[in-house]
Amino acid sequence: MYRYVAGRLAWTVFAAVAVLSAYFALLVLAPDPDAAVFAFRAAARGADPEAAARTYEQLRGGGALPVRYAEFVSNVARGNFGWSFSRNRPVNAAVLDALPYTLGYAVPAAAFAVVAGYAVGLYGAFNRHTGADRLLSGIAFFGVSVPNFWLGIVCILLFAVRAPEVSVLGVELLPLPSYYRTAVVHEHGFLSAANARQLLLPALVVGTGAVAANARYARGEAAEYVRATFVKAARARGANGYRAAYHALRPALVPLITVLLSDLLATFLAGAYVTEVVFQVPGVAMLSYEALRAGDTPLVVATTLLPVLGVLLGNLAQDIAYRVLDPRVEVNA
Amino acid sequence: MVATAGCAGLEAPDSGDTLYGPDGEQVTLSMVYATGSPPVTTTMEYIAQRLESLGFDVERNGLPYPDMLAQYAQNSYEGTTALNAGPRDEAVSQEPWDLMGGVGFNAFPRSPTSLRTFWVDVAERAVAQANFFGYNPTEALAPKFERAATTPDDAERRDLLGEVFGVLSRDQPVNFLVFDANIHGFARRVSGLGEPGPSFGYASQGRYFGEEPGVGGTYVSGRSSGAETLNPIRADDTESDARIRLTMDGAYELDNDDEFVPRWFTGYEASEDDTVYEFHIREGLEWGAEFGSMTAEDWVYYITEVHQAEPNWANSLNRAPWFRNGEPIEVTETGERSFEVRLPEPDPFFVLRPALWGAYCLPKGLVAEYREAEDGEGLNRDSGVGELAYTGNLGPYSFERWDRSSVFVASRNPDYYGAGTLFPEGAPFFEERHIQTFGESSTRLSALRAGDIQSTELPPDTVASFEDDADVSVLRTPTAFCNMLAYNQRANGWGELRKPGVRRALSTAVSKPTIAEDVFRGNAAAAYTHQPEYSRWYNDAKVTRYGGPNSSGIGAARETLLTALPEGYEYR
């Protein structure tokens, strides 16, 4: 088991370095159209185009390619991703500042996706082809299919612009804020009701797709065990619906783990970019998006490393969990 | 019946609708345009359809603006890549093109001689740096620009520039389409907005909530893009300037009539021949971070050691106005709070140029620390620069924080020098000013509707709905930004585009009033040359309005085209 974990860890490190190097190469070798915009602005001002080109190169922190790559590898090995010219600050600081904003909606959305997704899936498995099952399946299909950007915009219109004023015991419930305000964090802190209130819509939008995906998988996997002998035996011994669901869920968890850790991460990563832009959440996805637009290589690499490591470690954890949940599964280091 | 080009006056309607070239194929025009702006996309589609009515086959290719500039506008010659890298027969863009949309140039009505960079002969590379389309005017425009820039006789200048813009209207080096209007949406409770005009917002320090000026509240403006930097030396985008300007007023402003409005500078004197300008700095201007009072020494050092320094150690992006003919302009102190600028040649526009208009300065004590080591990056990374710690009492607000990707926050500056002098006692009137960035336009507009922000710019297609909103007031201000369709006259464009008659025909087919009214929903003004009609340099008698309200459309365009094209082209 330990050899297996060590081997997987080594593979994870190798894969991370390979992905980062490929990113570096792509970013450095890709054409930089912003240089043309800079040149156009300079020419319109009557500035010397060659001097403007030199200035642009210096502003972007240019230099010989091998030197830049060596610096990049050395920085990454030391956990220091260098300087972000587009942020005018260390990359690490920029990422660390952005991370809490992403976690602020991603963690509740993940919890929501797991709890609600499995609950809906199990309910469907035990009540197949009923009206409620069809309704929940319909909602799940809608949740999987609807684009996050559309859902986000509609949620803003419904809950922030057109919602009536609703308060309960002096607590304002509606309307919700139309965009994410960092001022709330500065005034009340991350772990405050005011911040939770403005994270509600982003979490809902990111969570919807994941809930739906989880519900569909859970329903499919649990359905295999609903009529299994051991579930029937449990029922015969007097187990109620919840207890029977527990019995069905236990074997279904093994394949569901695969979904949970890889598909869920993928859903989140894809959804995070859109969600952060629509709700103006200054998180890691927004940081990454803006770094890509600015061609800020060190920042792109750092913001890419996080999800890459997330997926790689997620896969590792998934394999280990698979082994723990089902001891019959063989592992080969 | 076949209508043959080169035979003026032939009756075209009886011939076919398709234009064939000497090779027997339909003439195809390649249109590239920048995506991302719905009005631009619609305009390009409209133009393409009009040109198809004129008999062309139009291939459309939309792509992001930076990519368009890189692949189609920049051209290469002998290892150099620039917007005008060399002779138009040899220096061509990476990809061939005929028509380019989604580009536009400011008409600089305050200092129109700056437009030389676009409109003088493409062969004059040192001046025509932005002439990427390969234009060669039918009359020499360089001497007219030159004379207009230096003559002390204002009537002569108006006459010369009137001629220049007349030639441009007839030459149609590009199809001048429309001048945008900026459309601002404000929460109704914001007062003291000022008169709409070209300089709208130049006195925004006096805005307040409610009926009477009084301190209180947070004013949030929503912007569609973020700032690049807070370092004034490296700021050349409007978003960076919008944030910096909350903390520093700048040297002086120009009002809607281009009159000098004092800020840090109380006034100036110009010599009779417009070669020497002496500027006077206000008393009581204090830097922050213990850099003392603002003096002429700060300004002269900043101009000579930052903008004019060789090499450009600080990477100043505002150097161009401080050089003439490649040489630095002489700047010297004349007193503790006055300095003079000596120009090598007369320039009546100097005060209207972006050399000192709205210009910022950094304290000598801060800059000198890095100057000797030529450590521009060190200066850029200095926390005092990044957090605008040196701004003291020089602006209405003080830097609080900048959450990149999100919001710039500045708090009311109780020591603001302008309170009780330039503005009423107590100014500025907001406790905080926020500039919030929105990556998604619909979120920004929703925030205005929800009352979460107090102002933002409105796209033309949303104006009607905001005008019906009782909580929002809509203001339009004219701009000098001219949307254009460039004609490629370099070697990789359709060769006939070098003929003014052909360009005139194409421009005639496109109705500018239709674009202004139907595409921009009345929020733009038709353009016929590179100067808006409100400009004092626009001479209606000299401007020909191709594609104007009296233009007879496709029929007239076709006749013009037949006349201009050589033998071999025909309608079938």
Side-chain angles (χ1 to χ4, degrees):
Chain A
M1 181 71 177
Y2 291 116
R3 282 185 62 204
Y4 171 75
V5 173
R8 289 306 308 257
L9 267 176
W11 166 249
T12 301
V13 170
F14 171 77
V17 171
V19 168
L20 289 173
S21 299
Y23 250 95
F24 180 85
L26 279 173
L27 285 165
V28 168
L29 299 176
D32 179 9
D34 283 346
V37 178
F38 188 87
F40 188 87
R41 290 207 302 230
R45 284 196 304 267
D48 174 23
E50 283 160 19
R54 280 198 302 275
T55 302
Y56 182 81
E57 188 68 21
Q58 286 167 13
L59 288 174
R60 293 292 171 120
L65 200 56
V67 175
R68 288 170 66 188
Y69 183 71
E71 190 182 340
F72 158 74
V73 172
S74 154
N75 281 342
V76 171
R78 285 181 285 129
N80 166 20
F81 286 90
W83 187 264
S84 160
F85 73 81
S86 70
R87 300 265 154 174
N88 197 30
R89 58 190 313 219
V91 169
N92 288 13
V95 173
L96 286 175
D97 280 356
L99 193 57
Y101 292 108
T102 298
L103 294 178
Y105 70 87
V107 170
F112 172 59
V114 171
V115 174
Y118 287 3
V120 169
L122 284 173
Y123 180 85
F126 278 88
N127 301 276
R128 295 180 77 183
H129 309 307
T130 62
D133 177 38
R134 289 200 176 92
L135 176 67
L136 289 172
S137 290
I139 292 173
F141 275 118
F142 176 79
V144 169
S145 311
V146 68
N148 277 0
F149 77 88
W150 180 86
L151 187 62
I153 290 168
V154 168
C155 282
I156 290 171
L157 286 173
L158 287 178
F159 297 109
V161 179
R162 301 200 188 283
E165 289 184 14
V166 178
S167 299
V168 173
L169 300 174
V171 178
E172 187 186 7
L173 298 182
L174 288 175
L176 293 171
S178 54
Y179 65 94
Y180 188 85
R181 289 171 231 188
T182 56
V184 169
V185 174
H186 286 277
E187 284 171 28
H188 304 285
F190 268 106
L191 300 174
S192 63
N195 192 35
R197 194 164 168 268
Q198 62 174 354
L199 283 168
L200 203 58
L201 290 181
L204 179 74
V205 168
V206 169
T208 302
V211 166
N214 276 347
R216 292 302 302 162
Y217 282 116
R219 183 183 182 279
E221 295 296 337
E224 284 186 28
Y225 299 101
V226 166
R227 289 181 182 77
T229 321
F230 63 90
V231 175
K232 284 182 183 169
R235 282 189 181 277
R237 286 196 300 271
N240 60 16
Y242 292 110
R243 191 69 193 163
Y246 171 77
H247 281 285
L249 184 61
R250 182 72 204 274
L253 262 183
V254 178
L256 281 177
I257 284 294
T258 318
V259 179
L260 176 68
L261 292 173
S262 53
D263 289 20
L264 199 61
L265 269 172
T267 308
F268 271 19
L269 292 180
Y273 279 84
V274 171
T275 305
E276 292 193 2
V277 170
V278 168
F279 290 99
Q280 207 52 47
V281 180
V284 178
M286 175 80 89
L287 187 67
S288 181
Y289 170 71
E290 292 189 342
L292 274 165
R293 290 185 61 176
D296 191 340
T297 308
L299 193 53
V300 172
V301 168
T303 53
T304 310
L305 178 67
L306 280 176
V308 165
L309 279 183
V311 169
L312 290 171
L313 292 174
N315 279 331
L316 177 63
Q318 168 188 307
D319 289 349
I320 295 170
Y322 207 81
R323 175 78 175 80
V324 171
L325 286 168
D326 188 349
R328 294 169 299 172
V329 173
E330 291 294 324
V331 292
N332 297 310
Chain B
M1 179 181 169
V2 170
T4 306
C7 305
L10 267 181
E11 289 296 324
D14 290 342
S15 61
D17 292 330
T18 306
L19 179 66
Y20 287 88
D23 58 359
E25 300 288 330
Q26 184 181 10
V27 180
T28 298
L29 295 177
S30 163
M31 169 191 275
V32 295
Y33 60 91
T35 50
S37 162
V40 166
T41 307
T42 311
T43 301
M44 290 307 117
E45 183 55 33
Y46 165 73
I47 292 172
Q49 289 180 15
R50 295 294 288 174
L51 297 181
E52 283 168 348
S53 298
L54 197 54
F56 292 95
D57 175 30
V58 180
E59 290 177 350
R60 299 132 166 106
N61 179 19
L63 69 170
Y65 179 69
D67 294 322
M68 184 178 78
L69 289 185
Q71 294 171 35
Y72 295 90
Q74 285 195 320
N75 44 77
S76 301
Y77 181 67
E78 293 182 345
T80 302
T81 298
L83 290 169
N84 182 11
R88 67 176 182 172
D89 285 332
E90 296 173 66
V92 294
S93 55
Q94 191 181 324
E95 302 288 339
W97 61 282
D98 300 311
L99 314 169
M100 183 185 291
V103 285
F105 318 137
N106 194 309
F108 297 120
R110 292 190 170 101
S111 51
T113 52
S114 309
L115 298 176
R116 277 181 282 207
T117 185
F118 296 103
W119 307 124
V120 303
D121 190 340
V122 63
E124 297 185 40
R125 276 197 61 224
V127 181
Q129 290 166 2
N131 190 344
F132 65 89
F133 34 90
Y135 170 54
N136 179 12
T138 53
E139 290 179 37
L141 297 183
K144 294 185 199 298
F145 272 123
E146 194 60 37
R147 178 67 187 156
T150 54
T151 178
D153 182 349
D154 195 56
E156 183 190 10
R157 182 165 34 255
R158 289 181 72 165
D159 196 44
L160 284 163
L161 291 170
E163 283 178 31
V164 166
F165 295 119
V167 170
L168 290 177
S169 77
R170 291 189 296 281
D171 275 5
Q172 291 290 300
V174 301
N175 188 350
F176 303 100
L177 299 172
V178 290
F179 287 100
D180 277 352
N182 279 340
I183 315 163
H184 313 269
F186 287 95
R188 189 78 67 180
R189 66 193 179 108
V190 181
S191 303
L193 294 176
E195 287 300 310
S199 296
F200 179 67
Y202 74 89
S204 61
Q205 297 92 326
R207 289 178 183 167
Y208 52 92
F209 288 136
E211 302 293 324
E212 297 292 331
V215 177
T218 297
Y219 181 103
V220 186
S221 52
R223 315 279 292 204
S224 56
S225 15
E228 292 177 7
T229 180
L230 296 183
N231 178 357
I233 299 170
R234 295 183 177 183
D236 75 335
D237 59 303
T238 53
E239 294 304 329
S240 298
D241 186 70
R243 286 147 180 89
I244 296 169
R245 200 159 295 279
L246 288 179
T247 65
M248 291 196 284
D249 276 350
Y252 60 88
E253 289 289 352
L254 298 172
D255 66 14
N256 288 330
D257 300 318
D258 297 346
E259 294 297 327
F260 179 100
V261 180
R263 289 289 183 262
W264 294 345
F265 292 180
T266 52
Y268 72 96
E269 287 104 36
S271 63
E272 272 191 25
D273 63 353
D274 293 319
T275 58
V276 183
Y277 288 84
E278 185 176 26
F279 293 91
H280 304 287
I281 302 168
R282 185 182 301 277
E283 272 193 80
L285 299 179
E286 296 293 331
W287 298 109
E290 299 178 354
F291 285 113
S293 301
M294 179 189 284
T295 63
E297 189 182 3
D298 290 315
W299 278 93
V300 172
Y301 189 82
Y302 187 66
I303 293 165
T304 56
E305 300 300 325
V306 174
H307 292 321
Q308 296 179 331
E310 294 289 358
N312 183 10
W313 66 275
N315 284 324
S316 165
L317 299 182
N318 301 298
R319 286 163 63 83
W322 290 107
F323 287 82
R324 289 289 159 94
N325 308 317
E327 294 298 319
I329 294 171
E330 187 184 337
V331 183
T332 48
E333 288 176 55
T334 52
E336 189 186 354
R337 283 188 301 279
S338 59
F339 68 94
E340 69 178 22
V341 176
R342 286 188 172 273
L343 302 167
E345 55 200 13
D347 184 1
F349 293 121
F350 185 75
V351 173
L352 306 182
R353 292 189 194 282
L356 287 170
W357 165 33
Y360 303 115
C361 184
L362 265 64
K364 180 182 175 183
L366 174 59
V367 178
E369 191 183 332
Y370 297 95
R371 172 65 182 104
E372 199 171 325
E374 296 192 344
D375 185 8
E377 197 50 36
L379 177 61
N380 189 52
R381 293 183 189 188
D382 188 301
S383 61
V385 174
E387 296 179 358
L388 297 162
Y390 56 87
T391 58
N393 72 345
L394 304 176
Y397 297 91
S398 302
F399 175 89
E400 280 294 321
R401 68 174 192 278
W402 184 21
D403 298 331
R404 301 260 187 160
S405 315
S406 182
V407 67
F408 176 89
V409 178
S411 59
R412 182 173 176 274
N413 185 348
D415 302 323
Y416 177 43
Y417 79 94
T421 53
L422 300 170
F423 298 95
E425 204 65 57
F429 299 112
F430 302 118
E431 289 291 358
E432 284 193 352
R433 279 290 315 264
H434 294 193
I435 299 182
Q436 174 71 42
T437 306
F438 289 90
E440 170 56 40
S441 170
S442 68
T443 310
R444 180 167 55 86
L445 299 177
S446 292
L448 181 64
R449 285 186 207 282
D452 291 339
I453 62 174
Q454 280 66 54
S455 69
T456 194
E457 291 210 358
L458 306 177
D461 58 339
T462 64
V463 172
S465 67
F466 279 102
E467 283 178 329
D468 293 337
D469 189 329
D471 296 327
V472 175
S473 53
V474 176
L475 285 179
R476 292 175 180 78
T477 54
T479 76
F481 184 83
C482 186
N483 290 276
M484 300 169 179
L485 179 81
Y487 297 126
N488 187 7
Q489 295 142 69
R490 288 183 182 268
N492 65 347
W494 182 39
E496 307 304 339
L497 287 173
R498 291 189 176 184
K499 297 186 169 72
V502 172
R503 300 196 298 264
R504 281 196 283 267
L506 268 55
S507 297
T508 301
V510 176
S511 165
K512 282 65 174 298
T514 300
I515 296 172
E517 291 304 317
D518 297 344
V519 179
F520 285 80
R521 319 256 178 138
N523 298 298
Y528 301 101
T529 185
H530 199 195
Q531 205 64 190
E533 290 187 39
Y534 67 76
S535 162
R536 59 195 298 257
W537 317 110
Y538 180 93
N539 185 337
D540 198 44
K542 294 181 177 175
V543 170
T544 308
R545 299 180 170 221
Y546 292 105
N550 300 321
S551 172
S552 40
I554 295 298
R558 196 161 151 168
E559 275 197 37
T560 310
L561 191 60
L562 287 168
T563 308
L565 286 173
E567 292 286 345
Y569 285 93
E570 60 182 9
Y571 274 102
R572 280 191 266 155

